[in-house]
Amino acid sequence: MVVAVDGTSGSGKSSTCRLVAERLGLRYLDTGAMYRAVAWWMLQHDVNIYDVDEVAARAHEPLLESGTDPLRPTITLDGVDVSVEIRSEAVNAAVSPVSTVPAVRARLVDLQRATIGEGGIVVEGRDIGSVVWPDAGLKIYLTADPAARARRRAAEAGTHDVAATQESLLNRDRIDSARTVAPLVMPDGAVHVDSTHLSLDEVVDVVVGLATAPADVAP
Ligand code: DC
């Protein structure tokens, strides 16, 4: 079973996917963390993240590994865990430009397909149901209105500046949706779940319900 969950930043994908994976006994892959780790590596190596050729030339260098236990997901870069570093403001600002570079996407999509191919996994991202794994057994497109997303992200980050958080989210939405390679879209055959007025448990129940529905009523 492959469950593909795509959607905007802050729509609740990570918490939802981890809990769904736990409930269904599946593995979990956060593809956003992979793009974040590459962006962090580029910053650490003084690569100009706005120079597409420079980013592309170094895209094969970072050695990435994703741990797929939903209770303890990890991401290591050259053997060092960077789970904390990839959530920094510097990475928030750098990740969308880095993830528009085709060579970065090609490298990460190969890694993602190798992991997904081992089976039994919930995968979150922007292009999982559309590009990475279009044959997923269940595809979810998870969204929420910008104010709700900003409130959640600000609470997670422990900041009171919800307006700045919303601006940063909307900026990433713009870049993610406008890029030419694998833009954020609602994949064919996806179920749209709007989490604006749903609690986390309610969203998890919806996704688990769809994943375990008999084949003739599942989308
Ligand atoms: O899910 P997230 O906010 O951690 O993702 C960070 C960025 O990574 C997001 O702004 C766009 C990029 N991304 C992507 O281009 N494709 C994916 N499958 C996942 C994330």
Side-chain angles (χ1 to χ4, degrees), residues 47-66:
V47 174
N48 175 359
I49 53 146
Y50 297 103
D51 182 331
V52 173
D53 293 334
E54 199 180 333
V55 172
R58 313 280 311 260
H60 64 286
E61 289 186 45
L63 186 65
L64 266 182
E65 265 182 79
S66 306

Side-chain angles (χ1 to χ4, degrees), residues 31-32 35-36 95-96 99 105 125-127 172 176 179:
T31 62
Y35 286 95
R36 287 171 175 276
V95 65
S96 282
S99 62
R105 302 203 71 81
R126 301 289 189 292
D127 60 344
R172 273 196 289 144
D176 296 345
R179 68 178 176 228

Side-chain angles (χ1 to χ4, degrees), residues 4 35 54 81 85 88 109 119 148 152-153 163 165 175 209-210 218:
Y35 286 95
E54 199 180 333
D81 191 290
E85 289 82 350
S88 62
V109 168
R152 289 176 195 161
R153 271 285 153 101
T165 306
I175 303 178
L210 289 165

Side-chain angles (χ1 to χ4, degrees), residues 6-10 13-14 30-36 86-87 92 95-96 99-100 105 112 124-128 132 153 169 172-173 176 179 181-182:
D6 293 299
T8 48
S9 302
K13 292 192 301 290
S14 297
D30 176 1
T31 62
M34 299 170 78
Y35 286 95
R36 287 171 175 276
I86 63 169
R87 304 291 160 192
N92 286 344
V95 65
S96 282
S99 62
T100 62
R105 302 203 71 81
Q112 291 158 13
E124 66 159 287
R126 301 289 189 292
D127 60 344
I128 309 307
V132 177
R153 271 285 153 101
L169 282 178
R172 273 196 289 144
D173 285 358
D176 296 345
R179 68 178 176 228
V181 187

Side-chain angles (χ1 to χ4, degrees), residues 13-30 66-74 119-124:
K13 292 192 301 290
S14 297
S15 314
T16 301
C17 289
R18 288 177 62 176
L19 288 168
V20 168
E22 232 185 292
R23 289 244 313 250
L24 297 176
L26 300 173
R27 297 176 302 140
Y28 160 70
L29 180 65
D30 176 1
S66 306
T68 56
D69 178 348
L71 294 173
R72 207 182 130 274
T74 54
I121 194 158
V122 181
V123 189
E124 66 159 287

